[in-house]
Amino acid sequence: MRVLRRIGGRLLASLPALLGVVVFTFLLMRVLPGDPAVFFSSGPNAGQAEIDAVRKDLGLDRPIPEQLLRYLYDVGTGNLGRSLTTGQTVVHDLGERLPASLELTLCALVLALGLALPLGILAAVRPGSAIDHAVRMVCTLGVCVPTFVSGLLLVYVFYVQFGIAPDPTGRLDIFAASPPDITGFLLIDFALVGDWEGWQAAAAQLVLPALTMALFVLAPLARMTRASMLSVLGSDFIRTARSIGLSRWRVVAVYGLRNAILPVLTIIGIVFSTMLGANVLVEKVFSWPGIGSYALDALLASDYAPVQGFVLLMAAVFVMVNLLIDVLYGIADPRVSVA
Amino acid sequence: MRERLLLLRYVLAENPVNLVALLLLVLLLGCAAVGPALVPFDPIATETAVALQPPSALHWFGTDQLGRDVFSRVVVAARLDLAIAFAAVLLSMAVGAVIGASMGYFRGPLDTIGSRTTDVLMAFPLFVLAMGMVAALGNSVSSVVYATAVINLPFYIRLSRAEVSVRRSLGYIEAARVGGSGHARILRVFLLPNILPALVVQASVNLGWAVLNTAGLSFIGLGVRAPAPEWGIMVAEGAQFIVSGRWWIATFPGLALMLAVFCFNLLGDGLRDVVDPRTRT
């Protein structure tokens, strides 16, 4: 019950932020250069009457405050408008592409955590050792390489040189059969229908882009794990646990890690936000059909609605992730939710 | 001054990494300052007869699809990339320091609203924000500077707000107030100079980000436009040739980017040592 109230409170608290994002994107898109009415009437030599008709159709002839109110009403009722380039509603387009982006980002996050936690713990258990220095090196280099460069280098090494990675275009090979559309997450869909060959193909396409993103966020995660693990391992209860003869593994993995994980959880929120931004670049490098590349195409075609929808969706995803982290925080440390 | 120099020498001698950072910075600034005069080839002159040649003694980093010398382009690009980064960070630091310091000094409802806004801004995917802003302001170099400045702003606001809130009730500020200084004078003469060192450390780290951000934007086709030599554009152009095995077009500008970010990050750590010896690791 208390957890539910807590979640409700957090959701309410995030409403002003979401509203702010809506208004901000609206204003941003209104000052965009280029007149979409001209852009989307039949051609460059369209008559003034035709342009006016399109403008009226899009509601662009009304005063800005009225447009904003209409937009807020539409967002509230789940209508994000229609993309002028694809001809579909933005909700439909985003819904179709969101699983691709989420699958990529979540896999990258899991991969990053899977690499960063052991590395950070190893570095903290033996501070000043060769492992510690190696981890620091990897982290320092990791933040310096832009995602689009590391992605291209990975493609060069694993696809061009060794030929072990598949063609870096999209989520599935063009000739492979796609699974029935159940959740939109290819890995889950393939697993549900029991097509393990397809599952492997999809996973193979996913490895390089996910690794690219994971390398980019490895540094903050590993650094935070190391720092927080170091301070926990120096505390009294760890000394007690050691002195009563608990195994080294148990001391580090159970008593140490559970207490050290809190700061790491906190920065996962920031890390996730960075990854959402980096999505655009990684999706472009790997021709990944996600929402990032969709928004980018719309942006370059001065198509307002998809960009607004994209930013709004980003904000919503971001709020949800923070909420999830908050709940996890309570599970990792019961003291937090009591307070 | 002499003390500062001694400290500088001590910091450089104590941690050789700082020396590396300083040398890298000199190299980068050197490329930006005199690079265009020194490079062996014209960075935008095309010569299709020698297109797509791998690195050789004549073309150290090879040539791209139009026969332009990649080495010359990488060196010349330093000027544009660094200029954008420095301009954006300076702008951001100046505006952010004033806003943040006023928030921390005057407190009140403005401070509350400002703090909440910066929290929201900081949490948002900043690269997406920059993308939208460049599109909104028009596809030009100055838009990239403004967009980069805006996404760095929250960091300076937060930092200077925190630094000023700590100092506003200290004895020397109290003394200045008793001595008849107005708010503006207290902020300008007594507070801002004192928080400057912390801001400079932050600026050094943000310079690396600004470079990454600029290159990322031009990589997706926003901001700087071809044929101007710029690292992000060069990587984007080279991306088409990676699959056919021509690695040099994208790799060398990529390495230059990496080196620049590496340099600014190390420099930030080194400056922190000079400015605030307590946090020395």
Side-chain angles (χ1 to χ4, degrees):
Chain A
M1 197 56 220
R2 192 156 49 202
V3 175
L4 280 184
R5 187 173 301 166
R6 201 174 140 76
I7 293 175
R10 284 290 305 217
L11 274 180
L12 274 181
S14 61
L15 274 183
L18 277 180
L19 187 72
V21 170
V22 176
V23 175
F24 185 75
T25 54
F26 174 83
L27 291 177
L28 200 63
M29 291 306 128
R30 279 305 103 135
V31 285
L32 266 176
D35 187 344
V38 175
F39 189 82
F40 288 101
S41 13
S42 45
N45 46 3
Q48 190 59 40
E50 197 176 345
I51 293 176
D52 284 343
V54 175
R55 182 170 293 143
K56 200 169 159 67
D57 197 37
L58 295 171
L60 293 173
D61 56 340
R62 298 168 195 282
I64 296 276
E66 193 189 328
Q67 286 187 38
L68 174 63
L69 279 182
R70 276 166 175 269
Y71 182 65
L72 284 179
Y73 174 77
D74 283 346
V75 168
T77 51
N79 174 15
L80 292 179
R82 193 170 275 276
S83 162
L84 297 167
T85 33
T86 63
Q88 301 280 349
T89 59
V90 171
V91 174
H92 171 268
D93 278 348
L94 287 176
E96 202 177 60
R97 288 168 173 78
L98 181 63
S101 292
L102 276 186
E103 189 172 42
L104 174 60
T105 313
L106 290 177
C107 285
L109 187 62
V110 170
L111 199 62
L113 281 175
L115 288 171
L117 285 180
L119 283 180
I121 293 171
L122 277 178
V125 171
R126 297 186 194 287
S129 68
I131 284 186
D132 191 13
H133 287 297
V135 169
R136 186 173 302 167
M137 266 275 289
V138 170
C139 289
T140 320
L141 285 179
V143 277
C144 296
V145 193
T147 41
F148 51 94
V149 173
S150 54
L152 286 173
L153 290 182
L154 285 175
V155 167
Y156 180 72
V157 171
F158 290 103
Y159 173 66
V160 180
Q161 283 297 319
F162 295 138
I164 29 181
D167 197 8
T169 44
R171 302 173 77 189
L172 259 188
D173 200 73
I174 341 164
F175 303 111
S178 48
D181 191 12
I182 305 169
T183 55
F185 290 80
L186 285 184
L187 291 184
I188 298 179
D189 285 352
F190 273 126
L192 281 179
V193 296
D195 179 359
W196 296 110
E197 219 168 282
W199 192 88
Q200 270 186 356
Q205 293 280 11
L206 190 63
V207 168
L208 286 190
L211 191 63
T212 305
M213 248 200 255
L215 284 180
F216 189 58
V217 294
L218 190 63
L221 289 173
R223 234 178 238 172
M224 186 53 95
T225 311
R226 176 180 178 275
S228 116
M229 201 66 190
L230 260 184
S231 73
V232 167
L233 286 182
S235 58
D236 288 346
F237 66 90
I238 292 291
R239 196 184 50 189
T240 310
R242 278 203 186 117
S243 68
I244 60 174
L246 291 177
S247 73
R248 202 182 155 75
W249 160 252
R250 201 174 157 79
V251 170
V252 171
V254 180
Y255 292 82
L257 187 59
R258 182 154 180 193
N259 282 287
I261 206 79
L262 286 177
V264 181
L265 272 180
T266 319
I267 66 156
I268 285 182
I270 300 166
V271 161
F272 198 83
S273 163
T274 321
M275 289 170 100
L276 286 180
N279 240 335
V280 181
L281 295 171
V282 176
E283 281 177 10
K284 181 152 163 51
V285 170
F286 291 93
S287 321
W288 200 258
I291 50 170
S293 47
Y294 172 64
L296 185 62
D297 291 345
L299 195 66
L300 294 177
S302 62
D303 188 359
Y304 296 162
V307 182
Q308 282 173 330
F310 167 71
V311 176
L312 200 58
L313 182 67
M314 283 280 191
V317 168
F318 186 71
V319 167
M320 293 313 286
V321 168
N322 271 327
L323 194 68
L324 188 71
I325 287 171
D326 226 38
V327 174
L328 284 179
Y329 216 98
I331 295 173
D333 187 353
R335 284 169 300 183
V336 175
S337 40
V338 171
Chain B
M1 196 59 216
R2 209 182 120 70
E3 265 175 46
R4 278 289 155 98
L5 280 178
L6 278 177
L7 179 64
L8 188 71
R9 213 182 73 187
Y10 171 71
V11 169
L12 285 180
E14 186 198 37
N15 193 349
V17 174
N18 293 334
L19 191 64
V20 173
L22 200 65
L23 290 179
L24 273 177
L25 181 72
V26 170
L27 176 72
L28 283 171
L29 291 180
C31 282
V34 295
L38 292 183
V39 289
F41 294 91
D42 183 347
I44 49 175
T46 59
E47 190 175 353
T48 37
V50 291
L52 296 172
Q53 286 189 350
S56 61
L58 182 61
H59 298 284
W60 292 356
F61 291 175
T63 58
D64 66 6
Q65 75 279 12
L66 296 174
R68 296 172 294 194
D69 181 45
V70 176
F71 174 72
S72 305
R73 284 173 68 75
V74 166
V75 171
V76 171
R79 178 176 285 185
L80 185 56
D81 273 285
L82 293 185
I84 294 177
F86 273 98
V89 168
L90 280 179
L91 186 66
S92 182
M93 189 165 93
V95 177
V98 172
I99 298 179
S102 321
M103 275 163 53
Y105 183 75
F106 293 112
R107 303 268 171 94
L110 252 173
D111 178 31
T112 321
I113 296 173
S115 299
R116 289 305 291 267
T117 315
T118 43
D119 283 352
V120 172
L121 257 184
M122 258 176 120
F124 202 72
L126 291 174
F127 186 72
V128 174
L129 203 66
M131 254 172 72
M133 285 194 52
V134 172
L137 296 172
N139 216 342
S140 67
V141 174
S142 56
S143 320
V144 176
V145 173
Y146 293 133
T148 311
V150 167
I151 63 170
N152 279 325
L153 208 53
F155 297 91
Y156 295 102
I157 294 183
R158 191 179 259 199
L159 184 67
S160 43
R161 182 188 168 275
E163 295 278 326
V164 166
S165 335
V166 175
R167 291 186 169 82
R168 72 191 288 268
S169 49
L170 288 187
Y172 68 96
I173 299 298
E174 202 78 353
R177 199 171 293 138
V178 170
S181 299
H183 292 312
R185 188 176 152 77
I186 290 180
L187 273 172
R188 191 165 44 88
V189 179
F190 299 105
L191 284 172
L192 284 177
N194 270 308
I195 65 171
L196 197 63
L199 287 175
V200 170
V201 172
Q202 178 76 36
S204 176
V205 177
N206 280 19
L207 272 173
W209 281 14
V211 170
L212 275 186
N213 193 60
T214 311
L217 285 174
S218 44
F219 178 75
I220 57 176
L222 292 172
V224 188
R225 265 178 286 185
E230 196 276 341
W231 293 328
I233 290 183
M234 295 176 70
V235 175
E237 284 175 351
Q240 317 155 28
F241 298 98
I242 279 278
V243 180
S244 53
R246 282 143 180 147
W247 52 273
W248 56 90
I249 308 174
T251 306
F252 288 112
L255 281 180
L257 265 175
M258 202 181 115
L259 218 61
V261 182
F262 186 61
C263 163
F264 289 127
N265 284 353
L266 289 186
L267 211 63
D269 290 344
L271 278 178
R272 189 169 294 134
D273 289 354
V274 180
V275 166
D276 187 1
R278 280 166 305 176
T279 57
R280 215 171 269 178
T281 46

